[in-house]
């Protein structure tokens, strides 16, 4: 079976890309061939990761800009050519709003019987366009997937059926490693520090501005504290300017986007994570952090289903940064080495072991393919 995965956001070191890569690594390439379309120039390391089984990765850009944003009709034509040439059994589109109808309509035009719309978030940066296109969107997909219940309700509606495909993780890969902790605390100069981490793109959704203010309050009470940010994005310069204004340049490290393999090692060096997002679908990173035994202080707009362990603490954004700082400082840190097996067990029992998730998706693809052949 041949499946073309189309991402409406970049293939980069972000949650959706890493989730797809995890599935790709554990789906049997002899049964299901996964090809990919990215609206950006993909980093070389990720190109290799996404094509190691000999499958295809297409990059649809024009003069360095995303083609679907610059010239949507040309983008649709290019997709039609790729779909026709590849003779795909299914097209699986990943996004968070009704603009997914562009690739879905291209698939429908080419006669693809299985057209999957996969909701990856519970909000969008393009609400007006989403509202305009939503009535038409439903006519172009045949199957609805979502990373979580909130994401599915957001895109398809509460009365619409959709299949939840969990953002599973390789639990063993992200489990706590004391040797790696010592290595990276030394490497990042965190030996005597309360090390606070965050992994995510710099954008409105992730709310770095609030995160910086929370850390500023923490630092007032504990000068031996460091915030480490992993990611990049559109608000990065504004965040850097705020850090400079607060005089925290020596206390906040920005490491940029990193491969999942490197991020997994660095997690061991942290003592806790802070995640004050304004909205989320089902954030992959929270599974990784719990697998590593890290306390997670997150905004209460995020689905409660992400709390697979007692490590997750939900805090309201409207309480302000001082409230967040106090809650964080007043919460005892767990013994991660002692509790590691319990955390792994909780992740697996919660249904987020990628090995099992990938097998389920593989079987679902094959089931849909057989049904389409029988029609």
């Amino acid at each position: 079976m041949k499946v073309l995965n189309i991402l409406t956001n970049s293939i980069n070191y972000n949650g959706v890309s890493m989730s797809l890569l995890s599935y790709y690594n554990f789906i049997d390439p002899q049964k299901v061939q996964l090809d990919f379309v990215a609206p950006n120039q993909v980093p070389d390391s990720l190109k290799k990761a996404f094509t190691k089984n000999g499958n295809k990765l297409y990059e649809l850009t024009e003069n360095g800009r995303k083609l679907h944003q610059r010239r949507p009709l040309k983008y649709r034509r290019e997709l039609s050519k790729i779909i026709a040439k590849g003779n795909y059994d299914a097209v699986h589109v990943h996004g968070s709003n009704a603009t997914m109808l562009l690739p879905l309509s291209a698939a429908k035009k080419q006669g693809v019987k299985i057209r999957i719309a996969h909701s990856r978030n519970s909000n969008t940066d393009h609400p007006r366009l989403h509202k305009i296109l939503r009535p038409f969107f439903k006519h172009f997909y045949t199957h609805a997937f979502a990373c979580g219940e909130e994401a599915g309700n957001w895109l398809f509606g509460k009365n619409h059926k959709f299949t939840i495909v969990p953002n599973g993780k390789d639990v063993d890969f992200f489990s706590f490693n004391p040797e790696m902790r010592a290595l990276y605390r030394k490497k990042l100069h965190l030996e005597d520090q309360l090390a606070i981490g965050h992994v995510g793109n710099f954008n409105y959704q992730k709310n770095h501005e609030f995160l910086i203010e929370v850390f500023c309050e923490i630092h007032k009470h504990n000068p031996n504290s460091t915030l480490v940010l992993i990611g990049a994005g559109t608000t990065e310069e504004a965040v850097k300017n705020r850090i400079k204004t607060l005089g925290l340049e020596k206390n906040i490290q920005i490491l940029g986007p990193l491969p999942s393999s490197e991020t997994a090692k660095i997690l061991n060096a942290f003592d806790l994570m802070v995640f004050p997002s304004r909205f989320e679908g089902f954030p992959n990173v929270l599974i990784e952090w719990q697998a590593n035994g890290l306390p997670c202080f997150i905004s209460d707009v995020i689905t409660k289903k992400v709390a697979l362990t007692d490590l997750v603490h939900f805090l309201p954004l409207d309480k302000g940064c001082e409230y967040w700082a106090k809650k964080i400082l007043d919460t005892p840190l767990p013994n991660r080495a002692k509790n590691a097996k319990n955390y792994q067990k909780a992740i697996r029992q919660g249904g987020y072991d990628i090995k099992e998730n990938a097998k389920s998706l593989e079987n679902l693809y094959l089931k849909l393919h057989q049904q389409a052949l029988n029609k």
Side-chain angles (χ1 to χ4, degrees), residues 73 77 83 91 106 117 128 160 183 234 246-247 271 280 286 289 332 336 343 348 368 372:
L73 295 181
R77 288 197 300 271
I83 294 166
V91 168
R128 291 182 64 187
H160 195 293
L183 175 66
T234 55
L246 294 171
D271 296 304
E280 290 283 349
L286 286 169
W289 301 346
R336 287 152 75 188
Y343 298 140
R348 290 192 172 100
L368 295 178

Side-chain angles (χ1 to χ4, degrees), residues 338-355:
K338 181 180 178 181
N339 296 320
K341 289 185 178 180
N342 291 334
Y343 298 140
Q344 293 175 36
K345 183 179 178 181
I347 301 297
R348 290 192 172 100
Q349 288 182 338
Y352 290 91
D353 185 334
I354 187 59
K355 295 174 185 177

Side-chain angles (χ1 to χ4, degrees), residues 191-203:
E191 293 100 328
D192 62 343
Q193 297 288 299
L194 174 67
I196 301 168
H198 180 277
V199 182
N201 290 331
F202 283 74
N203 57 30

Side-chain angles (χ1 to χ4, degrees), residues 1-9 11 16 19-21 23-24 27 32-39 50 75 79 82-83 88-96 100-108 112-120 137 140-147 155-156 162-167 357-358 360-362 364-366 368:
M1 181 183 183
K2 295 180 68 177
V3 181
L4 181 66
N5 284 272
I6 301 174
L7 285 83
T8 56
N9 288 318
I11 287 186
V16 175
S19 175
L20 268 178
L21 186 57
Y23 273 96
Y24 171 67
I27 285 179
V32 180
Q33 177 184 320
L34 299 176
D35 290 351
F36 302 91
V37 176
F50 273 98
Y75 167 73
L79 284 176
I82 292 169
I83 294 166
Y88 291 99
D89 301 297
V91 168
H92 188 161
V93 185
H94 306 260
S96 62
M100 285 194 283
L101 71 78
L102 272 175
L104 290 165
S105 66
K108 186 174 183 178
V112 179
K113 293 182 179 180
I114 304 168
R115 303 184 300 276
I116 302 166
H118 194 149
S119 179
R120 290 292 190 163
F137 165 68
F140 292 98
Y141 64 84
T142 59
H143 299 83
F145 287 7
C147 62
L155 186 61
F156 306 114
F162 53 85
T163 300
I164 293 179
V165 179
N167 292 331
N357 298 155
S360 295
L361 181 58
E362 178 186 300
L364 180 55
Y365 276 146
L366 295 172
L368 295 178

